[in-house]
Amino acid sequence: MIDNYLLEELAVFAKTRTLAQTAEQLNVTQPTVTRGMQKLEDDFGVRLFDRQPNRIKLTETGELAAAEATKLIKLNLEMIDRIKKFDYSQHSIRIGSMIPGPLILLNHLHSVLPDDIQVEKESLSGDKIEQQLMRNDYSLIFSNQEILTSEIESQYVGTENLQVNLDQFMFQANQSTVHFQELKNLSFIVLREIGSWRDIIQKEIPGAKFLYQEQRDAFADITKYSNFPYFTTNLSQYDTILLQRKSKNDDRVTVPIWDESAKMVIYVSYLTKQKQRLTPIMNLIRDSWPN
Amino acid sequence: MIDNYLLEELAVFAKTRTLAQTAEQLNVTQPTVTRGMQKLEDDFGVRLFDRQPNRIKLTETGELAAAEATKLIKLNLEMIDRIKKFDYSQHSIRIGSMIPGPLILLNHLHSVLPDDIQVEKESLSGDKIEQQLMRNDYSLIFSNQEILTSEIESQYVGTENLQVNLDQFMFQANQSTVHFQELKNLSFIVLREIGSWRDIIQKEIPGAKFLYQEQRDAFADITKYSNFPYFTTNLSQYDTILLQRKSKNDDRVTVPIWDESAKMVIYVSYLTKQKQRLTPIMNLIRDSWPN
DNA sequence: AACAATTACGGAATCCGTAAAAATT
DNA sequence: AATTTTTACGGATTCCGTAATTGTT
């Protein structure tokens, strides 16, 4: 078997093409790399380099070896990552979500959550839920997808309903519910990270304009000093930042949106192997869900 | 990155389940393995073992790490093998064949073959020609298959014709040619390693019996002291062992078999990348082919 | 003159084996 | 009593950096 530090030197050399730069990139001296490549040839029992007094280059075999070495190093690092993440998943629970709603609820439940498990929350993008579970990036992922594979399953946790907050003097604000159609051609302030909701509002409201805002506090400010409508959901009642804003004078009226596409069924997905350990927290969330 | 010798210790421990046996299997002492596994945990930054004063076992994370380690070691060894074989294929030519005919011709050409390339000959079984070329197990493989992939191609080299050697007093021996049908219910002596020919004679000659012989010299003896018919081909004229036998009194008559299935079209397959280097020897063989 | 690779030498880090200890079966 | 793991200590190997050499551009 061949030592990894030699494979790494070879892999770097294949990029830099000189021993000096290889040494620099690895924070060692040139003689170290020289000896390393000599040892590598000795270990392989094969010529890997064409040597001239002032120049060294890979043979064809050397090129192949370098390519293989690069792969092996990558695999080694990926293995370490897999193991660390698996270990982490054994005593902690990382929770991700494709939409912000469940994370708001989790923040609200923070004090009730068990102490022995550490809960982290993060917003996900892309539809790589399966991969992220399989890689132990997360133990629980909330989304509007129900997943069932040989190693993954999902549970229903609740429904999230979109609401729009309208200035009290707008005529739509006097209704008990509203349809997307009735919001057409309006301009809205929207937080950038709202996951799957973004596609929905863009698709369903004709002629609407959206002012996307990255930062949450800036978003709060803009809503305060303007009368643009903005969106919330039935989970927003647990949003502490939003509650602080509400307490100050927000003259908007919250109106539920009645369309089917404004109702999102939320599932939580997880590795079936971990079901037992995750059941309590999933039950807690489902039980705490509004309505 | 994690050193391979530690991964190997872990992989072996996962099999033996005790540090003592691990040490024995690796030809080191127990303390070495103890320290190794401690260092491994330290390098990973993760608990891999449940330890009791007299007992040590893998945690779940440890089991995963051991499985991954086993894979990585295997990949490392396979890589070394690949590189050695590739290197060998750069300055030597290994030649394999699915049928013995071309190898007989090659033996005969031995003195004419270039000296700077070393030619080895071996009989192959199975239909893994592509794999064996891709792995650089062989540079040239003779068979009755024409292969064309993105990296492999084949060339026609000649046709091998089956003949049967019959006792001169048998009525079929008086014909200039013979059909498989006319050989029905006879018993033949056959060398075990005749590759694709075996299926053909078994299929085409009704009610025939075959006395298979492993060793070539024993085969020669049996033919000498019996009058069972046996098979040759148009390439057998270059078979030195067979020629020696012929010179002594073999009263058999060689009769070509006329069926289409007794004519085998022979191709040589190789990596397209190596075409240029292999062309001379392929031309030599094709030019030396009888007829 | 500047640069790249190699060699020589001494030091430092790592890895290993022996011996001994601790605890279990 | 025998087995298994662990610790302590000293030695040996290996690996590295500095300095100097060779040869090229």
Side-chain angles (χ1 to χ4, degrees):
Chain A
M1 246 188 332
I2 291 186
D3 283 325
N4 282 324
Y5 77 97
L6 294 179
L7 295 180
E8 188 172 19
E9 286 181 8
L10 178 62
V12 174
F13 175 79
K15 288 183 195 164
T16 64
R17 298 286 155 172
T18 100
L19 297 183
Q21 291 182 53
T22 304
E24 193 187 351
Q25 191 161 330
L26 293 173
N27 290 321
V28 293
T29 57
Q30 290 96 330
T32 299
V33 182
T34 296
R35 280 188 305 258
M37 295 303 91
Q38 285 167 347
K39 178 161 163 45
L40 195 66
E41 278 186 309
D42 195 54
D43 289 351
F44 268 119
V46 151
R47 273 192 54 236
L48 299 174
F49 300 94
D50 282 328
R51 298 164 194 276
Q52 287 166 347
N54 196 25
R55 177 171 242 86
I56 185 172
K57 55 188 273 247
L58 289 165
T59 62
E60 277 212 54
T61 305
E63 295 283 358
L64 174 65
E68 299 274 350
T70 306
K71 282 186 208 162
L72 270 184
I73 289 167
K74 186 156 171 279
L75 287 174
N76 193 307
L77 294 176
E78 287 172 353
M79 172 203 65
I80 296 173
D81 193 53
R82 263 198 298 281
I83 288 164
K84 283 186 173 173
K85 284 193 175 141
F86 178 83
D87 183 66
Y88 188 88
S89 78
Q90 294 289 103
H91 49 257
S92 303
I93 300 180
R94 277 174 62 87
I95 301 180
S97 182
M98 305 286 289
I99 56 268
L103 297 184
I104 292 171
L105 179 57
L106 274 165
N107 264 333
H108 178 251
L109 293 174
H110 181 265
S111 54
V112 204
L113 294 176
D115 281 354
D116 61 329
I117 55 172
Q118 183 182 344
V119 177
E120 300 189 11
K121 296 166 285 286
E122 203 161 313
S123 291
L124 304 182
S125 58
D127 54 347
K128 300 166 187 169
I129 298 178
E130 294 180 33
Q131 289 179 33
Q132 301 208 261
L133 287 174
M134 295 291 285
R135 287 200 304 241
N136 293 295
D137 285 344
Y138 297 92
S139 293
L140 290 174
I141 297 183
F142 291 91
S143 73
N144 57 349
Q145 302 170 46
E146 193 174 11
I147 299 176
L148 185 60
T149 73
S150 58
E151 304 187 51
I152 296 175
E153 64 180 38
S154 301
Q155 285 186 22
Y156 169 82
V157 286
T159 303
E160 191 169 1
N161 301 314
L162 198 63
Q163 309 161 335
V164 65
N165 297 270
L166 299 165
D167 188 283
Q168 56 179 332
F169 298 113
M170 292 179 67
F171 73 93
Q172 299 98 329
N174 298 322
Q175 312 170 203
S176 62
T177 65
V178 68
H179 284 89
F180 279 130
Q181 273 290 339
E182 302 172 72
L183 302 174
K184 69 180 172 188
N185 301 327
L186 289 178
S187 294
F188 302 86
I189 319 176
V190 184
L191 263 180
R192 173 72 67 178
E193 295 189 3
I194 54 169
S196 318
W197 287 120
R198 193 171 165 187
D199 291 338
I200 293 174
I201 57 176
Q202 286 184 344
K203 184 183 170 194
E204 300 284 348
I205 310 178
K209 295 228 169 84
F210 301 103
L211 312 172
Y212 286 106
Q213 186 60 41
E214 295 283 355
Q215 288 113 349
R216 199 168 178 82
D217 45 359
F219 175 81
D221 278 345
I222 296 177
T223 57
K224 206 179 330 185
Y225 300 114
S226 73
N227 57 357
F228 288 119
Y230 62 87
F231 296 101
T232 53
T233 75
N234 54 327
L235 290 174
S236 302
Q237 58 184 289
Y238 302 118
D239 189 333
T240 48
I241 299 178
L242 188 132
L243 286 180
Q244 286 167 13
R245 186 175 60 229
K246 271 282 187 190
S247 68
K248 299 166 185 171
N249 55 338
D250 183 350
D251 293 332
R252 294 183 182 78
V253 179
T254 303
V255 185
I257 300 176
W258 204 241
D259 304 66
E260 267 309 304
S261 54
K263 297 177 176 47
M264 192 181 292
V265 178
I266 308 295
Y267 300 91
V268 60
S269 303
Y270 51 90
L271 296 177
T272 311
K273 202 177 174 184
Q274 297 197 341
K275 180 174 189 174
Q276 192 178 2
R277 198 164 64 90
L278 298 172
T279 294
I281 191 171
M282 290 192 291
N283 286 342
L284 176 63
I285 293 166
R286 194 186 301 104
D287 294 344
S288 311
W289 202 270
N291 292 3
Chain B
M1 248 189 329
I2 290 186
D3 283 324
N4 282 323
Y5 77 98
L6 295 178
L7 295 181
E8 187 172 20
E9 286 180 8
L10 178 62
V12 174
F13 175 79
K15 288 183 194 165
T16 64
R17 299 286 155 174
T18 98
L19 298 183
Q21 291 182 52
T22 303
E24 193 187 350
Q25 193 163 329
L26 293 173
N27 291 320
V28 292
T29 57
Q30 290 96 330
T32 298
V33 182
T34 296
R35 281 189 304 260
M37 296 302 92
Q38 285 167 346
K39 178 161 164 45
L40 195 66
E41 279 186 309
D42 195 53
D43 289 352
F44 269 119
V46 151
R47 273 191 54 236
L48 299 174
F49 300 95
D50 282 328
R51 298 164 194 277
Q52 288 167 347
N54 196 26
R55 178 169 241 89
I56 185 172
K57 55 189 272 248
L58 290 164
T59 62
E60 277 211 56
T61 305
E63 295 283 359
L64 174 65
E68 299 273 350
T70 306
K71 281 186 210 163
L72 269 185
I73 290 167
K74 185 155 171 281
L75 287 173
N76 194 305
L77 295 175
E78 286 172 354
M79 171 203 64
I80 296 173
D81 192 54
R82 262 196 299 280
I83 288 164
K84 284 186 172 172
K85 282 192 175 142
F86 178 84
D87 183 66
Y88 187 88
S89 78
Q90 294 289 101
H91 49 257
S92 302
I93 300 179
R94 278 174 62 87
I95 301 180
S97 181
M98 304 288 289
I99 56 267
L103 297 185
I104 292 171
L105 180 56
L106 274 166
N107 265 332
H108 178 250
L109 293 174
H110 181 265
S111 54
V112 203
L113 294 176
D115 282 353
D116 61 329
I117 55 172
Q118 181 182 344
V119 177
E120 300 188 13
K121 296 169 282 288
E122 202 160 315
S123 291
L124 304 183
S125 57
D127 54 348
K128 300 167 188 168
I129 298 178
E130 294 181 32
Q131 288 178 34
Q132 300 206 263
L133 287 174
M134 294 292 286
R135 287 200 306 242
N136 292 295
D137 286 343
Y138 296 93
S139 293
L140 291 174
I141 296 183
F142 291 92
S143 73
N144 57 350
Q145 301 171 46
E146 194 175 9
I147 299 176
L148 183 61
T149 72
S150 57
E151 304 189 50
I152 296 175
E153 65 180 37
S154 302
Q155 286 186 22
Y156 169 82
V157 285
T159 303
E160 191 170 2
N161 302 313
L162 199 62
Q163 310 160 336
V164 66
N165 298 271
L166 298 165
D167 187 284
Q168 56 179 330
F169 298 114
M170 292 179 66
F171 74 92
Q172 299 98 329
N174 298 321
Q175 311 171 203
S176 63
T177 65
V178 69
H179 283 90
F180 278 130
Q181 272 291 337
E182 303 171 72
L183 302 174
K184 68 180 172 188
N185 301 326
L186 290 177
S187 294
F188 302 86
I189 318 175
V190 184
L191 263 180
R192 173 71 69 179
E193 294 189 4
I194 54 170
S196 317
W197 287 119
R198 194 171 165 187
D199 291 339
I200 293 174
I201 57 176
Q202 286 182 345
K203 185 183 169 194
E204 300 284 348
I205 310 178
K209 297 225 168 84
F210 301 102
L211 312 172
Y212 286 106
Q213 187 60 41
E214 295 283 355
Q215 288 113 349
R216 198 166 179 83
D217 45 359
F219 175 80
D221 279 346
I222 296 177
T223 58
K224 205 179 329 185
Y225 300 113
S226 73
N227 57 356
F228 287 118
Y230 62 87
F231 296 101
T232 52
T233 76
N234 54 328
L235 290 174
S236 302
Q237 57 184 291
Y238 301 118
D239 189 332
T240 49
I241 299 178
L242 188 131
L243 286 181
Q244 285 166 14
R245 186 175 61 230
K246 270 282 187 189
S247 68
K248 298 165 185 172
N249 55 340
D250 183 348
D251 292 332
R252 295 183 181 78
V253 179
T254 303
V255 185
I257 300 175
W258 205 241
D259 304 65
E260 267 310 303
S261 55
K263 297 176 176 48
M264 192 181 291
V265 178
I266 308 295
Y267 300 91
V268 59
S269 304
Y270 52 90
L271 296 177
T272 311
K273 201 177 174 184
Q274 297 197 341
K275 180 174 189 175
Q276 190 179 5
R277 198 163 66 90
L278 299 172
T279 294
I281 191 169
M282 289 192 291
N283 287 341
L284 177 63
I285 293 167
R286 193 185 303 104
D287 294 344
S288 311
W289 202 271
N291 292 3

